[in-house]
Amino acid sequence: DMKVTQMPRYLIKRMGENVLLECGQDMSHETMYWYRQDPGLGLQLIYISYDVDSNSEGDIPKGYRVSRKKREHFSLILDSAKTNQTSVYFCASSLSPAANTEVFFGKGTRLTVV
Amino acid sequence: GEQVEQRPPHLSVREGDSAVITCTYTDPNSYYFFWYKQEPGASLQLLMKVFSSTEINEGQGFTVLLNKKDKRLSLNLTAAHPGDSAAYFCAVSAGFASALTFGSGTKVIPCLP
């Protein structure tokens, strides 16, 4: 069963706290992504990972960092969360970075920073 | 970088009627085009991918048209039904190692005829 799993699904944090969002995939995909989704803005790319320890900034990396120590896991870290990081975060994976390969999305993590 | 504009943001369509969602993009080197469907509270599911210029692809209950000359991608929902209630996103990519750039989404709400 091919899937991308995100934990937790819902999270409430106080401003200034550290946040860890976890993502796993069971398809041995090389490429993984973190997006955030805000109303009226679609999905915006935060980071892309081409394999273990091979990560690149996306369009909105500021305030975020990532970690990929195993091919099947990709973590998004917010050091000292801010209220404007309240959003729904989607992890995704694809077999390769080639743009014509299908991207599989997780169910999202709704993060609220108060 | 690539910019994708999607219209309209909301769409009420009577059951049985058709509706069109349109995306325009800026990068003439864009080569891969996708439509995703997101039902409430769920993740994005790939609806269709389009690679060739001026291509019409038909799926179950919808057609997709790509016009590379005008840099326009459209999704036509034919005979809307309650199962079409979702947000629809177009996505564009310029090529290898180029991640998807998404449109801002269209929320489709079928209503009673």
Side-chain angles (χ1 to χ4, degrees), chain A residues 48-82:
Chain A
I48 181 172
S49 174
Y50 297 106
D51 211 328
V52 171
D53 284 330
S54 179
N55 308 316
S56 291
E57 294 180 347
D59 298 321
I60 52 163
K62 189 177 177 183
Y64 304 94
R65 61 184 175 93
V66 292
S67 174
R68 189 151 178 220
K69 297 302 181 186
K70 292 183 180 180
R71 180 172 275 194
E72 60 269 25
H73 288 130
F74 190 34
S75 301
L76 180 70
I77 301 123
L78 288 66
D79 296 314
S80 187
K82 300 172 182 52

Short mmCIF file of all heavy atoms in Angstrom, two decimals, chain A residues 48-82:
data_model
loop_
_atom_site.label_atom_id
_atom_site.label_comp_id
_atom_site.label_asym_id
_atom_site.label_seq_id
_atom_site.Cartn_x
_atom_site.Cartn_y
_atom_site.Cartn_z
N ILE A 48 12.98 20.83 -0.61
CA ILE A 48 12.97 19.61 -1.40
C ILE A 48 14.22 18.80 -1.01
O ILE A 48 15.29 19.37 -0.77
CB ILE A 48 12.93 19.91 -2.91
CG1 ILE A 48 12.89 18.63 -3.72
CG2 ILE A 48 14.09 20.79 -3.34
CD1 ILE A 48 12.64 18.88 -5.23
N SER A 49 14.05 17.51 -0.93
CA SER A 49 15.17 16.63 -0.61
C SER A 49 15.34 15.62 -1.73
O SER A 49 14.39 14.91 -2.09
CB SER A 49 14.91 15.90 0.70
OG SER A 49 15.93 14.94 0.94
N TYR A 50 16.56 15.53 -2.28
CA TYR A 50 16.80 14.63 -3.40
C TYR A 50 17.26 13.25 -2.94
O TYR A 50 17.26 12.30 -3.72
CB TYR A 50 17.84 15.24 -4.34
CG TYR A 50 17.35 16.53 -4.96
CD1 TYR A 50 17.84 17.77 -4.54
CD2 TYR A 50 16.37 16.52 -5.95
CE1 TYR A 50 17.38 18.95 -5.09
CE2 TYR A 50 15.91 17.70 -6.51
CZ TYR A 50 16.41 18.91 -6.07
OH TYR A 50 15.95 20.08 -6.62
N ASP A 51 17.68 13.15 -1.70
CA ASP A 51 18.06 11.88 -1.08
C ASP A 51 18.59 12.20 0.30
O ASP A 51 18.55 13.35 0.76
CB ASP A 51 19.09 11.15 -1.93
CG ASP A 51 18.97 9.62 -1.83
OD1 ASP A 51 18.57 9.15 -0.74
OD2 ASP A 51 19.28 8.93 -2.81
N VAL A 52 19.12 11.19 0.98
CA VAL A 52 19.65 11.38 2.33
C VAL A 52 20.69 12.51 2.34
O VAL A 52 21.60 12.53 1.49
CB VAL A 52 20.27 10.07 2.85
CG1 VAL A 52 21.01 10.31 4.15
CG2 VAL A 52 19.19 9.01 3.03
N ASP A 53 20.50 13.46 3.24
CA ASP A 53 21.44 14.58 3.42
C ASP A 53 21.68 15.37 2.13
O ASP A 53 22.76 15.95 1.95
CB ASP A 53 22.79 14.08 3.97
CG ASP A 53 22.71 13.75 5.45
OD1 ASP A 53 21.90 14.39 6.15
OD2 ASP A 53 23.46 12.85 5.90
N SER A 54 20.69 15.42 1.26
CA SER A 54 20.78 16.19 0.02
C SER A 54 19.54 17.04 -0.14
O SER A 54 18.60 16.68 -0.85
CB SER A 54 20.95 15.24 -1.17
OG SER A 54 21.03 15.97 -2.38
N ASN A 55 19.54 18.17 0.56
CA ASN A 55 18.34 18.99 0.67
C ASN A 55 18.58 20.35 0.04
O ASN A 55 19.69 20.90 0.08
CB ASN A 55 17.98 19.19 2.14
CG ASN A 55 17.88 17.86 2.88
OD1 ASN A 55 17.31 16.89 2.36
ND2 ASN A 55 18.45 17.80 4.07
N SER A 56 17.52 20.91 -0.55
CA SER A 56 17.61 22.23 -1.16
C SER A 56 16.44 23.10 -0.74
O SER A 56 15.33 22.59 -0.52
CB SER A 56 17.61 22.12 -2.70
OG SER A 56 18.79 21.55 -3.16
N GLU A 57 16.70 24.38 -0.65
CA GLU A 57 15.64 25.31 -0.30
C GLU A 57 14.61 25.39 -1.42
O GLU A 57 14.95 25.34 -2.61
CB GLU A 57 16.22 26.70 -0.03
CG GLU A 57 17.12 26.74 1.20
CD GLU A 57 17.68 28.12 1.45
OE1 GLU A 57 17.59 28.98 0.55
OE2 GLU A 57 18.21 28.35 2.55
N GLY A 58 13.38 25.55 -1.00
CA GLY A 58 12.32 25.80 -1.96
C GLY A 58 12.08 27.29 -2.08
O GLY A 58 13.01 28.10 -1.99
N ASP A 59 10.82 27.68 -2.22
CA ASP A 59 10.48 29.08 -2.43
C ASP A 59 10.38 29.88 -1.13
O ASP A 59 10.59 31.08 -1.12
CB ASP A 59 9.16 29.18 -3.19
CG ASP A 59 9.25 28.54 -4.56
OD1 ASP A 59 10.30 28.70 -5.22
OD2 ASP A 59 8.29 27.87 -4.99
N ILE A 60 10.05 29.20 -0.03
CA ILE A 60 9.84 29.91 1.24
C ILE A 60 10.55 29.19 2.39
O ILE A 60 9.92 28.77 3.36
CB ILE A 60 8.34 30.10 1.56
CG1 ILE A 60 7.58 28.75 1.46
CG2 ILE A 60 7.69 31.10 0.60
CD1 ILE A 60 6.23 28.77 2.13
N PRO A 61 11.87 29.06 2.38
CA PRO A 61 12.57 28.28 3.40
C PRO A 61 12.80 29.01 4.72
O PRO A 61 13.13 28.38 5.73
CB PRO A 61 13.91 27.99 2.73
CG PRO A 61 14.14 29.19 1.86
CD PRO A 61 12.78 29.60 1.36
N LYS A 62 12.61 30.32 4.72
CA LYS A 62 12.98 31.10 5.91
C LYS A 62 12.15 30.68 7.12
O LYS A 62 10.92 30.64 7.04
CB LYS A 62 12.79 32.59 5.63
CG LYS A 62 13.35 33.49 6.71
CD LYS A 62 13.19 34.95 6.36
CE LYS A 62 13.70 35.83 7.48
NZ LYS A 62 13.49 37.27 7.21
N GLY A 63 12.86 30.39 8.22
CA GLY A 63 12.18 29.98 9.45
C GLY A 63 12.03 28.48 9.58
O GLY A 63 11.48 28.00 10.58
N TYR A 64 12.51 27.75 8.59
CA TYR A 64 12.38 26.29 8.59
C TYR A 64 13.74 25.64 8.34
O TYR A 64 14.62 26.23 7.71
CB TYR A 64 11.43 25.82 7.49
CG TYR A 64 10.06 26.41 7.53
CD1 TYR A 64 9.75 27.55 6.77
CD2 TYR A 64 9.06 25.84 8.31
CE1 TYR A 64 8.48 28.11 6.81
CE2 TYR A 64 7.78 26.39 8.34
CZ TYR A 64 7.51 27.52 7.59
OH TYR A 64 6.25 28.06 7.62
N ARG A 65 13.88 24.43 8.82
CA ARG A 65 14.99 23.59 8.39
C ARG A 65 14.47 22.17 8.30
O ARG A 65 13.41 21.85 8.82
CB ARG A 65 16.20 23.70 9.31
CG ARG A 65 15.99 23.31 10.74
CD ARG A 65 17.26 23.57 11.57
NE ARG A 65 17.02 23.31 12.99
CZ ARG A 65 17.27 22.13 13.57
NH1 ARG A 65 17.77 21.12 12.86
NH2 ARG A 65 17.03 21.96 14.85
N VAL A 66 15.25 21.33 7.63
CA VAL A 66 14.81 19.96 7.39
C VAL A 66 15.93 19.00 7.74
O VAL A 66 17.10 19.38 7.86
CB VAL A 66 14.37 19.74 5.93
CG1 VAL A 66 13.09 20.51 5.62
CG2 VAL A 66 15.50 20.11 4.97
N SER A 67 15.54 17.75 7.88
CA SER A 67 16.50 16.69 8.15
C SER A 67 16.07 15.44 7.43
O SER A 67 14.90 15.02 7.53
CB SER A 67 16.58 16.42 9.65
OG SER A 67 17.42 15.31 9.92
N ARG A 68 17.02 14.83 6.72
CA ARG A 68 16.72 13.54 6.07
C ARG A 68 17.93 12.63 6.27
O ARG A 68 18.91 12.72 5.54
CB ARG A 68 16.44 13.74 4.58
CG ARG A 68 15.90 12.46 3.93
CD ARG A 68 15.02 12.75 2.79
NE ARG A 68 14.53 11.54 2.16
CZ ARG A 68 14.43 11.40 0.86
NH1 ARG A 68 14.79 12.38 0.05
NH2 ARG A 68 13.95 10.28 0.36
N LYS A 69 17.81 11.79 7.26
CA LYS A 69 18.88 10.86 7.62
C LYS A 69 18.63 9.45 7.09
O LYS A 69 19.54 8.63 7.02
CB LYS A 69 19.06 10.81 9.14
CG LYS A 69 19.49 12.15 9.74
CD LYS A 69 20.79 12.63 9.13
CE LYS A 69 21.23 13.95 9.74
NZ LYS A 69 22.44 14.49 9.05
N LYS A 70 17.38 9.18 6.76
CA LYS A 70 17.02 7.92 6.11
C LYS A 70 16.16 8.26 4.91
O LYS A 70 15.38 9.23 4.95
CB LYS A 70 16.24 7.02 7.08
CG LYS A 70 17.04 6.50 8.25
CD LYS A 70 16.17 5.57 9.08
CE LYS A 70 16.95 5.03 10.28
NZ LYS A 70 16.13 4.12 11.11
N ARG A 71 16.24 7.44 3.88
CA ARG A 71 15.50 7.75 2.66
C ARG A 71 14.00 7.84 2.92
O ARG A 71 13.30 8.65 2.31
CB ARG A 71 15.78 6.69 1.58
CG ARG A 71 15.02 6.96 0.29
CD ARG A 71 15.46 6.05 -0.82
NE ARG A 71 16.63 6.57 -1.49
CZ ARG A 71 17.08 6.13 -2.67
NH1 ARG A 71 16.47 5.15 -3.28
NH2 ARG A 71 18.15 6.65 -3.22
N GLU A 72 13.49 7.04 3.86
CA GLU A 72 12.05 6.98 4.05
C GLU A 72 11.50 8.03 5.00
O GLU A 72 10.29 8.13 5.17
CB GLU A 72 11.63 5.58 4.53
CG GLU A 72 12.24 5.15 5.84
CD GLU A 72 13.56 4.39 5.68
OE1 GLU A 72 14.24 4.59 4.64
OE2 GLU A 72 13.90 3.62 6.58
N HIS A 73 12.38 8.84 5.62
CA HIS A 73 11.92 9.82 6.59
C HIS A 73 12.43 11.21 6.24
O HIS A 73 13.61 11.39 5.88
CB HIS A 73 12.41 9.46 8.00
CG HIS A 73 11.71 8.28 8.58
ND1 HIS A 73 12.39 7.22 9.15
CD2 HIS A 73 10.40 7.97 8.68
CE1 HIS A 73 11.52 6.31 9.57
NE2 HIS A 73 10.32 6.74 9.29
N PHE A 74 11.53 12.18 6.39
CA PHE A 74 11.90 13.57 6.10
C PHE A 74 11.21 14.44 7.13
O PHE A 74 9.98 14.43 7.23
CB PHE A 74 11.44 13.92 4.68
CG PHE A 74 11.95 15.23 4.14
CD1 PHE A 74 13.21 15.71 4.47
CD2 PHE A 74 11.18 15.97 3.26
CE1 PHE A 74 13.69 16.91 3.96
CE2 PHE A 74 11.66 17.17 2.72
CZ PHE A 74 12.91 17.63 3.08
N SER A 75 12.00 15.17 7.91
CA SER A 75 11.45 15.96 9.00
C SER A 75 11.53 17.45 8.69
O SER A 75 12.49 17.91 8.06
CB SER A 75 12.22 15.69 10.30
OG SER A 75 12.15 14.32 10.62
N LEU A 76 10.54 18.17 9.16
CA LEU A 76 10.51 19.63 9.05
C LEU A 76 10.59 20.19 10.46
O LEU A 76 9.82 19.78 11.34
CB LEU A 76 9.24 20.11 8.36
CG LEU A 76 9.09 21.62 8.18
CD1 LEU A 76 10.09 22.14 7.15
CD2 LEU A 76 7.66 21.97 7.74
N ILE A 77 11.53 21.11 10.66
CA ILE A 77 11.76 21.66 12.00
C ILE A 77 11.55 23.17 11.98
O ILE A 77 12.08 23.86 11.08
CB ILE A 77 13.19 21.34 12.48
CG1 ILE A 77 13.40 19.82 12.51
CG2 ILE A 77 13.46 21.94 13.87
CD1 ILE A 77 14.54 19.34 11.69
N LEU A 78 10.80 23.63 12.95
CA LEU A 78 10.63 25.06 13.14
C LEU A 78 11.31 25.41 14.47
O LEU A 78 10.87 24.96 15.53
CB LEU A 78 9.15 25.45 13.21
CG LEU A 78 8.32 25.41 11.95
CD1 LEU A 78 8.13 24.00 11.40
CD2 LEU A 78 6.97 26.06 12.20
N ASP A 79 12.40 26.12 14.39
CA ASP A 79 13.06 26.57 15.62
C ASP A 79 12.44 27.90 16.03
O ASP A 79 12.54 28.88 15.32
CB ASP A 79 14.57 26.77 15.37
CG ASP A 79 15.27 25.46 15.03
OD1 ASP A 79 15.02 24.47 15.73
OD2 ASP A 79 16.05 25.44 14.06
N SER A 80 11.80 27.91 17.17
CA SER A 80 11.15 29.11 17.67
C SER A 80 10.00 29.52 16.76
O SER A 80 10.10 30.46 15.96
CB SER A 80 12.15 30.27 17.81
OG SER A 80 11.56 31.37 18.44
N ALA A 81 8.91 28.79 16.86
CA ALA A 81 7.76 28.98 15.97
C ALA A 81 7.17 30.38 16.11
O ALA A 81 7.16 30.99 17.19
CB ALA A 81 6.70 27.93 16.28
N LYS A 82 6.66 30.85 14.97
CA LYS A 82 6.03 32.16 14.93
C LYS A 82 4.56 31.99 14.56
O LYS A 82 4.18 31.01 13.90
CB LYS A 82 6.74 33.05 13.91
CG LYS A 82 8.22 33.27 14.21
CD LYS A 82 8.91 34.00 13.09
CE LYS A 82 10.39 34.18 13.38
NZ LYS A 82 11.07 32.91 13.75
#
